[in-house]
Amino acid sequence: NAGVMQNPRHLVRRRGQEARLRCSPMKGHSHVYWYRQLPEEGLKFMVYLQKENIIDESGMPKERFSAEFPKEGPSILRIQQVVRGDSAAYFCASSPRTGAGSNTDTQYFGPGTRLTVL
Amino acid sequence: AQSVTQPDIHITVSEGASLELRCNYSYGATPYLFWYVQSPGQGLQLLLKYFSGDTLVQGIKGFEAEFKRSQSSFNLRKPSVHWSDAAEYFCASSGGSYIPTFGRGTSLIVHP
């Protein structure tokens, strides 16, 4: 059973370009979470999605950032008109479903995409 | 809002020595607690988790953690550290929410 897949692993963009980060959850997982990690900091939650639905986007910047998880295909985190401050590692995690007091609350992380904005 | 504190930014130990990484959480009820390890350039790997029951939790790679409600702590331990354990360790809590709150991490350095 393959783990969470993310691509690309490294992405370089110039200021003003668009960045598209992809995440394929583990087989059987229908919940996807995106996190951002700045140097020497912990992970900061960005958005939580189920298939075709955004459940919680409270951690997403209001502008330039969007996320989707279509019925078919990977989840996409899109950053439009990137700026240098967007440089970070972006991690995707997946879980089977959310619930209280069960293993389904555990999130499994992908290897991340390291975005560098020149 | 809940928070997770890892008071040690860096920990240096000698190979073969014991290890304890500290984690404190703030949450009124019993939280769900996790420890993850991140090797350089890699994603996070789950070491162990606590939801309920026995407060001493065994994980992978010889790690264990103990939930102490009175101290709001969930410290990670290993009796004998190997050089391959050098990595960044993150404690996380998801009490009351499906979204875990992560500590800022503790970097473990292992001397030969």
Side-chain angles (χ1 to χ4, degrees):
Chain A
N1 186 12
V4 178
M5 309 288 285
Q6 289 188 251
N7 69 82
R9 294 291 305 275
H10 299 275
L11 182 61
V12 179
R13 286 288 179 264
R14 297 189 181 278
R15 281 180 298 169
Q17 291 184 320
E18 178 180 282
R20 280 188 172 224
L21 287 62
R22 295 175 187 79
C23 169
S24 296
M26 286 181 70
K27 187 176 181 181
H29 288 194
S30 57
H31 295 234
V32 166
Y33 313 79
W34 285 93
Y35 295 83
R36 177 163 60 178
Q37 184 182 35
L38 295 171
E40 299 186 358
E41 292 190 15
L43 275 70
K44 303 297 184 186
F45 166 74
M46 299 181 74
V47 61
Y48 161 40
L49 310 104
Q50 295 178 24
K51 286 282 187 181
E52 300 184 281
N53 283 302
I54 296 175
I55 306 302
D56 183 343
E57 55 182 350
S58 58
M60 286 275 272
K62 296 292 185 247
E63 298 177 349
R64 301 188 298 108
F65 284 73
S66 62
E68 62 178 8
F69 189 16
K71 186 176 181 180
E72 301 292 336
S75 175
I76 306 286
L77 178 67
R78 182 187 303 169
I79 311 172
Q80 296 177 301
Q81 300 174 330
V82 297
V83 301
R84 288 214 173 106
D86 296 332
S87 296
Y90 292 83
F91 290 94
C92 167
S94 71
S95 68
R97 67 175 189 272
T98 59
S102 75
N103 288 338
T104 57
D105 287 310
T106 301
Q107 297 180 15
Y108 296 86
F109 284 80
T113 294
R114 279 148 185 85
L115 173 65
T116 301
V117 180
L118 302 177
Chain B
Q2 63 176 315
S3 65
V4 175
T5 302
Q6 293 181 247
D8 303 305
I9 297 175
H10 303 282
I11 290 281
T12 301
V13 299
S14 297
E15 191 170 15
S18 63
L19 170 70
E20 182 169 30
L21 302 182
R22 295 185 290 167
C23 173
N24 293 94
Y25 66 90
S26 68
Y27 181 63
T30 300
Y32 305 142
L33 296 162
F34 308 84
W35 274 100
Y36 288 88
V37 61
Q38 183 182 33
S39 298
Q42 301 298 314
L44 277 70
Q45 180 183 20
L46 181 68
L47 284 175
L48 47 79
K49 59 187 181 238
Y50 172 79
F51 286 161
S52 64
D54 192 346
T55 56
L56 185 62
V57 181
Q58 301 297 321
I60 62 171
K61 304 185 179 187
F63 285 93
E64 66 177 26
E66 186 171 11
F67 169 59
K68 292 186 177 180
R69 184 191 304 275
S70 61
Q71 299 176 18
S72 297
S73 69
F74 189 57
N75 294 349
L76 182 71
R77 301 193 294 248
K78 186 170 184 177
S80 178
V81 171
H82 188 262
W83 64 266
S84 60
D85 293 325
E88 192 85 15
Y89 291 80
F90 292 95
C91 181
S93 166
S94 66
S97 168
Y98 45 74
I99 303 299
T101 298
F102 285 84
R104 62 170 295 167
T106 297
S107 178
L108 174 64
I109 301 165
V110 180
H111 281 314

